[in-house]
Amino acid sequence: MTRFSLVISLLVFGCSTVPKPSNTELGIAFTAIENGFLIYKGVITRDANERAFKTYSKAQIKPHTLLISSSGGDINLGIALGNWVKENGLNVEVKDFCASSCANYVFPAGRLKYLSKDSVLIWHGSAWQTHWDIDDGDKARFQQSIQSMRVKETEFFAKILVDNILPVYGQSKFNLWDKVLSWIGLGPIGFDYSISDLENLGITGINLKDSEWNWRAYKPNKKHLVRRFSLTDDYRFTINRFVSKTDY
């Protein structure tokens, strides 16, 4: 289990004990229709996507909402799931947590977005991030692959009318101490935004099921793992902010 996945599981389970990882935490996703929701739990994978699409297609009564709890997954697969959510006009409700590709592409794609008082959203980068740990021998292949993903990501955010700075805005805001702590495995794993800043970034239709969204109050011992960043006063909403490899 990676540090990111382990920390995500701790955000959900709390700190008294560290439970044995479940199938979901190990990456074995679960999809089904339950109580009128299309359930998606676990890492975003090709197999899980296909099972979700097939389950929805076969349903006589189509669910209106995707209920998701996921630490994310491959960029292309996250975009594929987000596009499918958009094309089918589904709502998205976050159960427990939605991080990385889930927060980047699935949550923003929902027609309506539902958060409980303790739902955790975490962003920590995307195809447009500037720093990657790539071995020298893999750089040529990586550059070709990342350019393709950046095109897909740019097109996706333009389709859902969201500023594609969303997943990377906070990366430049971490201070030196944050980075030092992260290098030794103790620092924040990502960042989030206020509801008003999410709306300014283009994520509209957010509904609070408990009339509040304040997960830090319900998981206070984990709040240091996710930094809250605010948009600066000079921020201006922009579609297709990044469109070429030199933009960011």
Side-chain angles (χ1 to χ4, degrees):
M1 181 183 291
T2 65
R3 176 176 179 262
F4 185 81
S5 298
L6 176 60
V7 173
I8 289 293
S9 67
L10 292 176
L11 278 165
V12 176
F13 292 113
C15 67
S16 58
T17 60
V18 179
K20 180 180 179 181
S22 66
N23 284 345
T24 296
E25 293 157 46
L26 292 172
I28 303 172
F30 169 79
T31 60
I33 292 178
E34 295 181 355
N35 300 319
F37 293 96
L38 177 61
I39 309 294
Y40 196 124
K41 296 181 180 179
V43 176
I44 297 172
T45 65
R46 187 178 307 279
D47 179 64
N49 280 359
E50 290 176 354
R51 281 188 279 120
F53 302 162
K54 186 177 294 185
T55 299
Y56 179 85
S57 177
K58 289 183 175 181
Q60 291 186 343
I61 301 176
K62 305 296 185 189
H64 298 294
T65 300
L66 175 70
L67 184 62
I68 190 165
S69 183
S70 175
S71 60
D74 179 88
I75 290 174
N76 287 317
L77 296 176
I79 292 173
L81 182 56
N83 274 321
W84 180 82
V85 166
K86 175 68 173 177
E87 290 163 5
N88 286 278
L90 290 177
N91 305 322
V92 173
E93 180 175 335
V94 175
K95 175 67 174 177
D96 295 326
F97 62 91
C98 178
S100 191
S101 290
C102 178
N104 290 1
Y105 315 118
V106 184
F107 179 72
R111 187 176 66 84
L112 297 176
K113 296 92 171 168
Y114 292 94
L115 295 172
S116 298
K117 60 187 179 183
D118 58 352
S119 301
V120 183
L121 289 170
I122 305 175
W123 286 270
H124 72 117
S126 74
W128 281 103
Q129 68 189 55
T130 55
H131 300 293
W132 302 85
D133 294 324
I134 305 297
D135 294 334
D136 289 342
D138 295 327
K139 284 186 176 179
R141 184 175 60 180
F142 170 77
Q143 287 299 327
Q144 182 177 5
S145 175
I146 199 63
Q147 292 310 316
S148 173
M149 285 190 282
R150 284 176 170 175
V151 169
K152 290 181 180 180
E153 184 178 296
T154 299
E155 292 174 347
F156 170 78
F157 280 119
K159 178 188 296 185
I160 64 171
L161 301 178
V162 168
D163 191 334
N164 60 353
I165 203 173
L166 167 74
V168 295
Y169 182 85
Q171 286 187 317
S172 63
K173 307 299 180 182
F174 284 113
N175 59 40
L176 180 59
W177 182 239
D178 289 327
K179 295 175 182 178
V180 170
L181 289 175
S182 292
W183 289 334
I184 61 176
L186 299 175
I189 60 169
F191 52 90
D192 67 358
Y193 306 95
S194 67
I195 296 295
S196 61
D197 278 348
L198 287 174
E199 292 173 340
N200 287 332
L201 287 159
I203 302 182
T204 58
I206 299 174
N207 290 265
L208 306 183
K209 294 190 67 179
D210 304 306
S211 300
E212 65 169 322
W213 178 55
N214 186 17
W215 70 266
R216 287 172 173 82
Y218 298 94
K219 299 182 174 82
N221 57 316
K222 301 304 171 190
K223 61 185 180 181
H224 67 285
L225 295 169
V226 184
R227 288 286 304 275
R228 168 63 57 83
F229 290 120
S230 299
L231 299 177
T232 57
D233 291 340
D234 61 352
Y235 168 79
R236 296 294 181 270
F237 175 79
T238 305
I239 291 292
N240 288 333
R241 182 183 299 271
F242 312 135
V243 293
S244 73
K245 65 181 181 180
T246 60
D247 284 339
Y248 181 70

